[in-house]
Amino acid sequence: DQQVKQNSPSLSVQEGRISILNCDYTNSMFDYFLWYKKYPAEGPTFLISISSIKDKNEDGRFTVFLNKSAKHLSLHIVPSQPGDSAVYFCAAIGLAGGTSYGKLTFGQGTILTVHP
Amino acid sequence: NAGVTQTPKFQVLKTGQSMTLQCAQDMNHEYMSWYRQDPGMGLRLIHYSVGAGITDQGEVPNGYNVSRSTTEDFPLRLLSAAPSQTSVYFCASRRGLEQYFGPGTRLTVT
């Protein structure tokens, strides 16, 4: 039972345009969501997060949007750069109890390729 | 500050062999975990620990053992390797919500 899903295995974008990566979740006990970025032969690194009490969080070129009613979040990268080419993982965690408490649950990942 | 370190980087095992993947962190984080990454499956939690002496199972624990005798170290043991354990393994440590990952160990079981 995949509680966090990234339904697009890959995304290809032109440099300078917007990249939108999507993530859906099923567990309503999740109350914090994170995005990680992973380059080949390296471990994932933290990118940006959002609490379930917010609907938007921005950090430079990266913005995460959360739609709790749809159990959907998205990561926007504007403008996209070739160095953004990586695998992006969505993750969720519950902080208030339940089976998701304290454990980060990851999606399958989306491979982003930004073409010059 | 080395962060999270993992050894070895690469390993090839024959079916039935045993081995230990090493993980250490120097950030004094209480929470440590092991994940495996497989194509199309994302990062799946194998085992985790909330502090020295305390471990628990994650999503895919079968075939793996862990122990946590110190805050710094969290080794992952494969008792009898199987081809289904061919994967990339990541160790991570965390304080609060931000999780730091090691560089990974690529394991092939033939």
Side-chain angles (χ1 to χ4, degrees):
Chain A
D1 176 29
Q2 190 91 26
Q3 297 187 61
V4 178
K5 293 182 184 179
Q6 294 175 255
N7 291 316
S8 298
S10 62
L11 175 67
S12 183
V13 170
Q14 206 67 32
E15 180 178 7
R17 307 295 288 267
I18 184 171
S19 295
I20 300 176
L21 296 101
N22 294 304
C23 178
D24 296 296
Y25 63 97
T26 57
N27 190 339
S28 58
M29 296 298 287
F30 288 142
D31 45 21
Y32 219 88
F33 303 90
L34 306 92
W35 285 93
Y36 280 79
K37 177 179 181 179
K38 184 187 177 306
Y39 291 118
E42 294 183 11
T45 55
F46 170 76
L47 186 58
I48 192 169
S49 63
I50 187 167
S51 163
S52 61
I53 62 172
K54 295 188 173 183
D55 55 17
K56 178 182 174 181
N57 188 27
E58 201 169 344
D59 184 2
R61 297 186 296 114
F62 303 91
T63 303
V64 56
F65 295 91
L66 176 63
N67 182 334
K68 274 192 74 175
S69 60
K71 293 191 174 67
H72 177 82
L73 63 154
S74 60
L75 174 68
H76 293 211
I77 306 174
V78 183
S80 301
Q81 299 173 353
D84 296 329
S85 297
V87 180
Y88 289 78
F89 291 101
C90 169
I93 188 169
L95 300 176
T99 57
S100 60
Y101 176 69
K103 291 183 276 191
L104 267 173
T105 300
F106 286 83
Q108 304 96 310
T110 296
I111 302 169
L112 173 66
T113 304
V114 181
H115 298 284
Chain B
N1 214 349
V4 180
T5 57
Q6 291 182 239
T7 56
K9 280 193 183 313
F10 303 94
Q11 183 70 49
V12 178
L13 289 178
K14 292 191 186 324
T15 297
Q17 286 185 315
S18 62
M19 81 158 295
T20 300
L21 307 186
Q22 301 292 345
C23 174
Q25 53 95 5
D26 60 0
M27 297 174 282
N28 203 32
H29 289 168
E30 293 295 329
Y31 194 104
M32 295 186 74
S33 49
W34 276 101
Y35 293 85
R36 57 179 289 174
Q37 184 194 2
D38 302 293
M41 303 295 288
L43 292 159
R44 292 183 292 169
L45 182 65
I46 304 171
H47 285 285
Y48 66 99
S49 168
V50 298
I54 307 168
T55 64
D56 205 347
Q57 296 181 350
E59 186 185 350
V60 287
N62 292 341
Y64 308 95
N65 277 357
V66 292
S67 60
R68 184 96 180 269
S69 55
T70 66
T71 299
E72 295 78 21
D73 300 298
F74 190 42
L76 178 72
R77 294 186 197 83
L78 284 72
L79 299 177
S80 178
S84 60
Q85 294 178 305
T86 293
S87 188
V88 181
Y89 291 85
F90 290 100
C91 178
S93 74
R94 188 178 105 210
R95 177 182 290 136
L97 290 170
E98 192 168 332
Q99 186 149 277
Y100 298 85
F101 285 86
T105 294
R106 184 174 291 275
L107 176 69
T108 302
V109 183
T110 61

